[in-house]
Amino acid sequence: MRIVAEHLTHIYNEGSPFEARALDDVTLTIEEGEFFGILGHTGSGKSTFVQHLNGLIRLPSSLKRAKKRKPKEGLPAPVLRVGDFDLADKKTDFRALRKKVGIVFQYPEQQLFAETVKDDVAFGLKSFADRKHPPEEGEIETAVREALGAVGLRYEEVASQSPFDLSGGQKRRVAIAGVLVTKPEVLILDEPAAGLDPLGKNEIADLLHRLHGDWCKTVIIVSHDMDEIAENCTMSAVFAEGKVKYVLPPRELFKHAEELSAIGLDIPLVAKLCRALSARGVEIGCDFTADGFVKAVLAMRGRA
Amino acid sequence: MKDVSFGQYYPIDSPVHRLDPRLKLLFLIVYIAAIFVADSFWGLLACAGVLLFSVLLSRVPFGKVLRAVKGVIFLVIFTAVINVLFYAGETVYWSWGIFSVSKEGMVFSAFLILRIVLLVICSSLLTYTTTPVSLTDGVESLLSPLKVIRFPVHELALIMSIALRMIPVLSEETARIQNAQKARGADFESGNLIKRIGAFIPILVPLILSALRRADELGDAMEARCYMGGKKRTKYKKLRFGWGDLAGALLGAALLTGVILLRIYVGGVI
Amino acid sequence: MMNALEFEDVSFSYGEGDFRINNLNFTVGQGELVAILGHNGSGKSTLARLANRILQPDGGTIRVFGETVGEDNLYDVRRKVGVVFQNPDNQNVASIVEDDVAFGAENIGLPREEIGSRIGFALKATGMEAYRHATVARLSGGQKQRIAIAGVLALKPQIMILDEATAMLDPRGRKEIVDVVLRLNREEKMTVLMITHYPEEALLADRAIVMNRGEIVMRGAPAEIFARHEELLTYNLDLPRIGKICKALQAGGMSVSDTLDIQTLADEIAKELACGS
């Protein structure tokens, strides 16, 4: 599903002394199949943006009159389409949309609630199901088994356990399975590796790669870890102060070290190494991944 | 950042904002007494006048003040209707079974509405002009004589203070968990009552677990900062009673005396 | 050099589960900055809670500046050993910055004027003077954590323990905390025990200790520890990214050292490429 957003603006606590403009005329397209990275500081608007994508935050035009916010004057009407869903239209079936666009929030293990891992993972499946035709037990088991398998957990080992007895990294994977269980086409993850130890971080990175290959067509990660973006993403967008500053593939984006540093963002380690080498007269052409860098250096050495 | 406004406090500077919280609390109590002592049109008019003056002085916009009334409007109308129907008055306009509408009933209801509205405006003016922290300090200070009878005044104040600190944290957390479950298809808007209550379990369980975890960590953090109960403690903030507070006290006293005198010498309509 | 903190044969268990700490021995010298590394559940946070007796050891002795920690000098010990915890939202008792910073100082019964001046000192040391009257809930994660540090500093401790104090922060917040801690250590000569996941932070320490299953398994200068790559992996820890790049280059036949410094590595690569041509 292709995601097209035009002129999105969102203001929290509008009209109060605590008014805060989180999104300011944001226009951004995310093509199907990307591993898309959204980066920026806390408060740059990136989380607000992704919450629009599955209708957790609605456009004014899609709200019932009672809750309607005033549309901004002087700006063209906001547009937001995810695949065939028109999110500006109040007739859109937002539950059907949420089934297709899964969001894994920060610290997702904090949303676990059921008595067993199986019940927790099955929650999404049951709640999205047609009320008149609830899924059968066998169907649920298969789906849960597949979702747990996708995050690298064995159904036999964990399904009947309490989710609260698992380790931190396992809890997080169960929570991700709980979103995967409905087979979303777009998977959005907000800081998927936050708070994990280095090993847990590596596991999550591997997991996301597997998911992008054979589970979800489009993966979007929200992150402020530049290395995470450089290593994983095919495309990236930089948010700052509610606006989109850059939309570039990471290998292009991280050439703009000065501009990024002006908005307080860092560059990945490999980009720093390349700059340090460039200052010594050695130009390494690489995509800013660790593997790419090592290959490029070894190739240069081979040529020399 | 998120859609959470902190308490009701309206952050501007005004003579009312600067008053000692204890004075404001006492004023509220005196004011409530006054509106219930007042039994005549003039008495309530005096009460309303004093409140209008306070609102103007506080520079809190009228819209904000009226919004507080909006919250209780149904309660007000409901009570008024019940009162009109059940009040056994003399001048009866209409009656059916145990219900009747009388002149006295209508006057009584009108007074009741006015009292509730004044009460709500006055108490919301207190929360609009006083930060939760100084409100807590005010309560602690006013209750401190109770320490003599071993009432845990300090603990109560600390609990209030921590609760106030945690309200924005937990409401943000509730919003986050609610969003996460919504994203997993949770539906909080349809179905019958039992279904809707059931729909809150996926929010309540994580929220309670998180609150317990937070309480645990906060306990450690407090102990690490040498918290050992209220015994040896000193207090950094001292409340000070100023000229404005004296004026406020006089105003409150004058109002209460006024309505008492009115009641005794003029007599009321109810 | 005097020992600020000593653990001698300390053992501890939570009573349930199979986690326990056995015969833990280590010392931290006055003015040192020591990093404690270990995966989740390795026992490093238990260590922080033992050091100022939020948890009581089952056996062994813990000394703070030579004084054995016991039930009778609890108050004293906690004044000397401040702890900053992981979650920036779970450490404040008051809604306004200065009220929260005052909490510890109020607890030990200081006079009003002294509390006021300590709030000033603590906020200055953390670069938060401008936020004295701000609402804690409206601060960023890094700022909240700096307030937590200020709240500990108001007790004028001699040892500061940071229990994964940066784990929940964004890079900007992490840098704020690291800057404050380094300044306290270098300028105020504060003894610091920094429990962390981040290899980059451990590299700033004078010494590092690695924990695994309630035991100390490695000790030494941070750079030495990270040079023992295979051993680290067995304790579920990882190299900093730059260390991995060095290893990969070595595996490809280049003679670069196990450096963890960007400039040094760049020098070595440049030299090698120049030699080859």
Side-chain angles (χ1 to χ4, degrees):
Chain A
M1 298 202 288
R2 187 168 186 257
I3 297 167
V4 180
E6 288 168 18
H7 310 297
L8 294 192
T9 294
H10 188 78
I11 300 166
Y12 287 111
N13 299 318
E14 197 167 359
S16 88
F18 303 120
E19 183 172 297
R21 184 172 288 249
L23 286 183
D24 189 2
D25 196 17
V26 163
T27 295
L28 180 64
T29 300
I30 299 175
E31 298 294 343
E32 179 169 297
E34 299 280 15
F35 197 129
F36 201 95
I38 293 182
L39 43 99
H41 278 296
T42 313
S44 60
K46 54 192 170 46
S47 293
T48 307
F49 175 74
V50 295
Q51 286 183 50
H52 275 85
L53 301 184
N54 75 344
L56 285 175
I57 297 176
R58 300 269 202 98
L59 294 182
S61 60
S62 77
L63 289 170
K64 285 184 208 122
R65 186 160 297 166
K67 294 193 212 161
K68 205 160 195 158
R69 298 186 300 266
K70 252 189 303 177
K72 291 284 126 225
E73 279 166 36
L75 263 184
V79 173
L80 184 56
R81 279 194 307 275
V82 177
D84 295 330
F85 293 95
D86 180 358
L87 276 67
D89 185 352
K90 58 172 161 276
K91 290 197 284 291
T92 297
D93 182 351
F94 280 89
R95 281 168 59 80
L97 167 77
R98 283 181 197 151
K99 199 175 163 182
K100 293 283 173 203
V101 181
I103 292 197
V104 177
F105 284 89
Q106 242 185 81
Y107 303 106
E109 58 278 14
Q110 289 176 2
Q111 74 190 22
L112 300 173
F113 71 97
E115 281 172 50
T116 65
V117 167
K118 184 186 168 190
D119 286 348
D120 209 295
V121 175
F123 176 70
L125 199 69
K126 287 181 192 161
S127 48
F128 278 123
D130 186 348
R131 291 235 164 73
K132 285 169 202 131
H133 310 282
E136 284 164 29
E137 191 49 38
E139 230 176 290
I140 292 175
E141 196 186 308
T142 315
V144 171
R145 186 182 292 273
E146 281 178 17
L148 284 175
V151 297
L153 292 171
R154 277 171 50 91
Y155 181 88
E156 284 74 19
E157 274 170 33
V158 294
S160 55
Q161 281 199 51
S162 162
F164 305 110
D165 290 340
L166 302 174
S167 76
Q170 284 176 324
K171 275 187 202 164
R172 184 160 301 184
R173 282 187 279 162
V174 167
I176 295 175
V179 174
L180 289 177
V181 75
T182 54
K183 308 216 161 141
E185 287 185 37
V186 178
L187 181 66
I188 303 167
L189 303 106
D190 193 351
E191 296 288 347
L196 295 178
D197 57 18
L199 207 78
K201 281 188 181 161
N202 292 347
E203 283 173 6
I204 292 290
D206 291 345
L207 168 64
L208 294 184
H209 271 289
R210 285 205 308 277
L211 292 180
H212 184 231
D214 30 271
W215 196 275
C216 307
K217 283 185 189 147
T218 311
V219 172
I220 301 172
I221 56 172
V222 177
S223 179
H224 33 228
D225 183 339
M226 301 300 141
D227 291 306
E228 194 178 13
I229 300 279
E231 290 294 331
N232 301 305
C233 296
T234 55
M235 195 66 181
S236 58
V238 178
F239 277 68
E241 287 158 3
K243 288 180 186 295
V244 179
K245 298 279 178 187
Y246 298 95
V247 186
L248 288 170
R251 62 177 180 280
E252 298 297 327
L253 176 70
F254 294 123
K255 287 178 184 163
H256 300 264
E258 275 82 20
E259 293 93 322
L260 287 173
S261 125
I263 47 177
L265 290 173
D266 207 357
I267 54 172
L269 173 78
V270 176
K272 283 181 194 159
L273 265 173
C274 289
R275 279 168 66 79
L277 281 165
S278 171
R280 289 163 177 76
V282 181
E283 298 297 336
I284 310 272
C286 80
D287 57 2
F288 298 132
T289 65
D291 278 353
F293 175 79
V294 170
K295 276 190 193 126
V297 170
L298 292 178
M300 275 180 84
R301 184 163 163 273
R303 249 181 279 134
Chain B
M1 265 321 286
K2 301 286 145 58
D3 279 314
V4 177
S5 63
F6 187 69
Q8 287 220 52
Y9 184 63
Y10 193 81
I12 50 166
D13 187 39
S14 82
V16 181
H17 283 73
R18 283 193 296 270
L19 288 176
D20 186 316
R22 290 172 298 183
L23 181 271
K24 283 189 265 192
L25 280 162
L26 287 175
F27 186 89
L28 178 66
I29 295 168
V30 167
Y31 190 80
I32 292 171
I35 44 182
F36 282 94
V37 167
D39 57 351
S40 63
F41 173 72
W42 293 109
L44 277 183
L45 190 71
C47 293
V50 166
L51 189 58
L52 182 70
F53 172 70
S54 314
V55 171
L56 285 173
L57 205 60
S58 76
R59 304 217 314 267
V60 176
F62 273 105
K64 271 268 172 197
V65 176
L66 290 178
R67 202 175 296 167
V69 179
K70 221 171 100 186
V72 293
I73 199 85
F74 282 104
L75 177 80
V76 170
I77 291 172
F78 181 74
T79 347
V81 169
I82 294 288
N83 266 297
V84 168
L85 290 178
F86 285 98
Y87 197 89
E90 282 166 14
T91 329
V92 177
Y93 297 126
W94 174 88
S95 76
W96 184 78
I98 52 163
F99 305 112
S100 68
V101 175
S102 65
K103 185 182 169 196
E104 289 79 7
M106 282 166 71
V107 172
F108 181 79
S109 295
F111 268 72
L112 192 74
I113 292 179
L114 243 155
R115 280 175 177 150
I116 298 177
V117 167
L118 290 179
L119 184 116
V120 168
I121 293 181
C122 190
S123 30
S124 61
L125 189 64
L126 175 72
T127 51
Y128 279 138
T129 59
T130 319
T131 61
V133 182
S134 54
L135 212 51
T136 314
D137 286 345
V139 171
E140 182 176 8
S141 170
L142 285 178
L143 292 181
S144 59
L146 293 180
K147 277 179 190 160
V148 180
I149 56 160
R150 304 212 168 184
F151 185 79
V153 175
H154 158 74
E155 283 76 7
L156 194 74
L158 186 65
I159 290 169
M160 272 177 71
S161 165
I162 291 172
L164 288 167
R165 164 69 187 101
M166 282 297 159
I167 287 169
V169 174
L170 289 178
S171 60
E172 215 168 275
E173 177 135 23
T174 312
R176 195 170 65 229
I177 297 171
Q178 189 168 353
N179 271 341
Q181 307 300 30
K182 254 187 180 170
R184 292 209 283 164
D187 186 355
F188 306 111
E189 276 127 38
S190 59
N192 58 28
L193 189 66
I194 294 172
K195 241 193 174 140
R196 278 199 210 189
I197 293 171
F200 279 98
I201 288 174
I203 294 181
L204 279 179
V205 173
L207 194 63
I208 291 169
L209 286 174
S210 143
L212 290 175
R213 193 173 51 236
R214 286 180 191 283
D216 207 31
E217 287 181 29
L218 183 66
D220 281 355
M222 284 168 63
E223 270 194 64
R225 284 208 268 161
C226 295
Y227 180 69
M228 313 212 171
K231 277 197 187 129
K232 283 193 211 159
R233 280 192 110 228
T234 44
K235 272 196 85 67
Y236 170 56
K237 284 238 169 106
K238 280 240 167 62
L239 298 172
R240 253 180 243 125
F241 213 75
W243 288 108
D245 299 303
L246 184 64
L250 289 176
L251 183 66
L255 178 68
L256 187 59
T257 322
V259 292
I260 291 175
L261 291 178
L262 265 174
R263 186 173 175 129
I264 295 172
Y265 293 107
V266 184
V269 281
I270 33 171
Chain C
M1 184 167 62
M2 189 178 183
N3 282 336
L5 184 65
E6 286 170 76
F7 272 53
E8 194 182 303
D9 293 330
V10 173
S11 58
F12 172 82
S13 78
Y14 282 100
E16 53 191 77
D18 44 6
F19 174 80
R20 55 178 296 117
I21 281 181
N22 279 320
N23 300 328
L24 202 64
N25 284 290
F26 73 93
T27 54
V28 179
Q30 189 171 8
E32 257 195 313
L33 175 58
V34 175
I36 299 189
L37 289 158
H39 62 88
N40 286 344
S42 59
K44 54 194 191 326
S45 292
T46 309
L47 195 144
R49 286 170 167 78
L50 284 169
N52 73 350
R53 216 177 169 84
I54 290 171
L55 295 174
Q56 282 185 40
D58 299 339
T61 313
I62 298 169
R63 285 188 210 94
V64 171
F65 289 99
E67 200 182 332
T68 304
V69 180
E71 205 49 55
D72 45 332
N73 59 359
L74 199 62
Y75 221 61
D76 248 22
V77 166
R78 287 188 184 158
R79 277 175 85 151
K80 284 184 190 148
V81 185
V83 186
V84 180
F85 295 92
Q86 189 186 85
N87 194 322
D89 275 320
N90 297 354
Q91 297 177 67
N92 328 99
V93 291
S95 306
I96 303 293
V97 167
E98 64 169 354
D99 296 336
D100 190 69
V101 175
F103 181 71
E106 291 175 332
N107 285 338
I108 56 171
L110 294 175
R112 251 195 100 239
E113 296 68 33
E114 174 68 12
I115 299 178
S117 74
R118 285 199 180 190
I119 295 173
F121 150 78
L123 290 177
K124 187 155 183 274
T126 48
M128 290 295 287
E129 297 118 303
Y131 296 88
R132 186 165 181 151
H133 301 286
T135 305
V136 179
R138 300 202 162 269
L139 301 178
S140 73
Q143 289 171 330
K144 282 180 195 161
Q145 216 49 335
R146 281 195 275 164
I147 293 305
I149 295 180
V152 166
L153 286 179
L155 285 158
K156 299 233 166 136
Q158 288 160 289
I159 305 174
M160 167 125 30
I161 302 181
L162 296 127
D163 184 6
E164 291 188 43
T166 57
M168 295 182 76
L169 304 180
D170 63 8
R172 190 186 271 177
R174 267 205 317 267
K175 190 174 177 317
E176 288 171 16
I177 300 306
V178 168
D179 288 349
V180 167
V181 169
L182 282 183
R183 217 186 51 71
L184 283 172
N185 177 250
R186 307 245 157 98
E187 289 170 27
E188 313 275 336
K189 306 289 174 235
M190 175 88 73
T191 308
V192 179
L193 202 60
M194 190 164 57
I195 298 171
T196 181
H197 280 322
Y198 292 101
E200 293 78 7
E201 288 172 11
L203 281 173
L204 301 168
D206 304 316
R207 278 195 301 133
I209 290 172
V210 177
M211 290 199 64
N212 188 45
R213 297 177 189 226
E215 284 174 26
I216 295 179
V217 288
M218 292 169 88
R219 339 172 168 237
E224 282 168 33
I225 284 183
F226 287 118
R228 288 145 73 183
H229 183 203
E230 283 74 24
E231 203 180 336
L232 269 180
L233 282 177
T234 61
Y235 305 130
N236 280 347
L237 287 175
D238 207 353
L239 276 184
R241 302 184 67 81
I242 187 161
K244 285 188 189 168
I245 290 174
C246 292
K247 296 281 176 202
L249 290 173
Q250 289 162 3
M254 280 182 75
S255 57
V256 289
S257 65
D258 275 323
T259 180
L260 297 171
D261 177 63
I262 292 175
Q263 300 305 328
T264 314
L265 181 60
D267 274 339
E268 291 181 1
I269 293 175
K271 213 167 108 195
E272 177 128 348
L273 290 178
C275 279
S277 58

